[in-house]
Amino acid sequence: MTLSGWLQIGLILGLAALTARPLGLYMARVFSGERTFLTPALSPIERLFYRLTGVSPEREQGWLAYTLAMLAFSAAGFASLYAILRLQAFLPLNPQGFDNVPPDLAFNTAISFLTNTNWQAYGGETTMSHFSQMAGLAVHNFLSAATGIALALAVTRAFARASAATLGNFWVDLTRATLYVLLPISLLLAIAFLATGAPQTLAGSVEATTLEGAKQTIALGPMASQEAIKQLGTNGGGFLNANSAHPFENPSAVANLLQVWSMLAVSLGLLIMFGRMVGAEKQGWAFLKVVGVLLIAGVAVIYWSESAGNPLLTQLGLDPANGNMEGKELRFGLALSSLFAAVTTGLSCGAVNAMHDSLTPLGGLVPMFLIQLGEVLPGGVGSGLYGLVVFAILSVFVAGLMVGRTPEFLGKKIESREIKLSMLAVLILPLAILGFSAVAAVLPAALSSLANSGPHGLSEILYAYTSSAGNNGSAFAGLSANTPWWNITTALAMALGRFGYVVPVVAIAGSIAAKKKAMASAGTFPTDGGLFVGLVVGVILIVGGLQFFPALALGPIVEHVLMLAGKTF
């Protein structure tokens, strides 16, 4: 680790923190229906959408209607994307002449982009046409992120209102999230990525001659525009197989800075938006402190582990001064690779600028563990906010048990219904991750896809289902996931991680919205101070992470011990 490396990390995280409040206040105005600087240009378009779709912005929905609208929209999105992929060969903008996507891979990919996971069991430049990339995958990059924001708004309104029967209108929230937030920022980011060297063309490829005189075919396409929403919407699905490690997707240090910033920007802004909309901006900052403590700790462990190098190579006489550079871009080095790995897994993005399979055992453990914590650091666009609210509810419940008081959060009493639903949501991740991993660890059809045996092979299995159920999408690249078993089971894990989690959360929001708001008293536990921050951090680590420790002990931790002993496997 170097001072220069930490200064780079601090600069990028500081920039993200500085933009959180202005972006959060802007989103609070947008979703409260107030006028913004974009209203004159976008309001007519918004009203046109409502007229064409028959949506009445004034008609709000209860939690069940809101949830059913989200599920119906998701079902329609799955059907349309699956059809595009299965009919790819007959659709336009296919300069490479790619065939239709096979049924199991199309099923997996449609679920993946629908749930904001963007797990890719294929190489983008050898599988997807430009039409599939733009009209299929990029569209869902916007819509899945906007859906997450809408769901976070439903939870926010539950605490902002009292004795309310409604949580807003899903269709209005979806429209405003796309039109006022994701599209304008993506447009600016696309121009910035284009300026740094990312291609933006409808050409399929270009022929190049190497220094040795050989011919090389280099894939091209509309990458700058896709890169923008890929990062901003915490999607992570790369146009190219190498993702943000490829110089076309991530051309320079400036592009890399923008990529990390854009992953964090909206998710951090939503925390401030939450505080402003519930009338307690300090609550948003308390959430941001929780995120900062755990995310910076994750970056530090990865950076330290990768800087220490590979003990096996050190024993063979290799100088460890340069650290473990396997699977990393020399353009970014250890510091920015470590930061990117922690941010992309603390969020639900899944983009990578280094190969996680090549990290040291402890360096690889941290990204996996950050996902297993529930991806609330600060989590995906929208999903991170409502995930933090669930842990906040559990935290005040624990605090209430300690002092013998009925727990409250932002003036709303937390009772047995909310706790049961919170635990139902929290237990979805271990059910999907550990359940599927246990079966895959003994099934020949699953084991045949592993590139490694022993502890690292177990880590590949755990990471695949952790990434899928956590709606992250990154992978240990040693796993060959494009088989019927992996395509179907990871798709089921993705669906469970998204819908199995969010339905109980919206039910919690409906229950909370109907409650009266109690005034704070001398006995009210403050939820915007350091004690609350520490309590939430502890609950996240214990409730969110401790259940995975036995599996992690058999995978990356055993692998680390064996490495220190100089043993291979």
Side-chain angles (χ1 to χ4, degrees), residues 55-394:
V55 171
S56 174
E58 295 77 24
R59 185 180 302 163
E60 293 201 348
Q61 300 165 313
W63 80 266
L64 185 57
Y66 201 100
T67 303
L68 291 175
M70 179 272 296
L71 292 174
F73 180 73
S74 299
F78 168 79
S80 64
L81 181 52
Y82 182 80
I84 288 173
L85 299 178
R86 292 291 294 129
L87 298 172
Q88 175 175 264
F90 309 106
L91 296 172
L93 295 176
N94 187 4
Q96 304 94 331
F98 290 144
D99 201 357
N100 298 326
V101 179
D104 60 309
L105 181 58
F107 174 76
N108 180 279
T109 305
I111 292 286
S112 179
F113 280 78
L114 172 75
T115 58
N116 201 243
T117 308
N118 302 78
W119 169 271
Q120 294 175 285
Y122 60 88
E125 64 267 51
T126 58
T127 309
M128 297 294 172
S129 69
H130 290 352
F131 186 87
S132 294
Q133 293 272 20
M134 293 188 295
L137 307 185
V139 166
H140 280 276
N141 282 349
F142 281 97
L143 297 180
S144 64
T147 299
I149 294 174
L151 294 167
L153 284 166
V155 173
T156 301
R157 293 191 186 104
F159 289 95
R161 298 176 176 183
S163 303
T166 60
L167 296 171
N169 186 307
F170 172 76
W171 307 109
V172 173
D173 293 338
L174 182 78
T175 302
R176 288 178 178 169
T178 305
L179 196 59
Y180 287 88
V181 179
L182 298 176
L183 272 172
I185 303 176
S186 292
L187 178 61
L188 295 176
L189 279 173
I191 294 171
F193 286 134
L194 187 61
T196 61
Q200 183 72 15
T201 175
L202 293 179
S205 61
V206 64
E207 291 287 337
T209 303
T210 68
L211 293 176
E212 293 82 9
K215 295 292 184 181
Q216 183 179 8
T217 301
I218 301 174
L220 293 174
M223 298 179 196
S225 57
Q226 195 128 328
E227 197 66 25
I229 187 58
K230 160 196 156 186
Q231 300 298 110
L232 185 71
T234 61
N235 294 285
F239 193 97
L240 302 167
N241 192 38
N243 208 283
S244 290
H246 196 288
F248 281 0
E249 289 204 35
N250 196 358
S252 67
V254 173
N256 192 70
L257 181 151
L258 287 172
Q259 293 212 6
V260 178
W261 173 84
S262 57
M263 281 191 280
L264 289 164
V266 177
S267 290
L268 291 180
L270 285 169
L271 302 182
I272 306 303
M273 181 208 75
F274 175 84
R276 174 53 67 97
M277 291 183 71
V278 301
E281 192 173 324
K282 287 183 178 179
Q283 189 64 61
W285 287 106
F287 281 155
L288 198 143
K289 290 172 186 175
V290 171
V291 167
V293 168
L294 290 170
L295 188 61
I296 292 171
V299 175
V301 174
I302 298 174
Y303 191 16
W304 165 78
S305 182
E306 297 307 299
S307 297
N310 186 325
L312 294 176
L313 297 179
T314 302
Q315 291 171 20
L316 294 175
L318 187 70
D319 184 1
N322 292 323
N324 175 38
M325 285 301 296
E326 181 190 346
K328 297 179 182 66
E329 272 286 310
L330 290 174
R331 296 177 298 138
F332 306 132
L334 294 175
L336 296 184
S337 298
S338 300
L339 174 64
F340 204 111
V343 170
T344 197
T345 49
L347 290 130
S348 69
C349 186
V352 294
N353 75 349
M355 298 301 104
H356 292 185
D357 195 44
S358 296
L359 296 172
T360 60
L362 293 185
L365 180 149
V366 173
M368 194 185 325
F369 188 61
L370 292 178
I371 303 172
Q372 290 168 347
L373 291 180
E375 297 220 285
V376 292
L377 309 175
V381 170
S383 62
L385 172 56
Y386 60 70
L388 274 171
V389 170
V390 168
F391 280 113
I393 288 172
L394 293 174

Side-chain angles (χ1 to χ4, degrees), residues 73 311 452 465 502:
F73 180 73
N452 299 275
Y465 289 116
V502 79

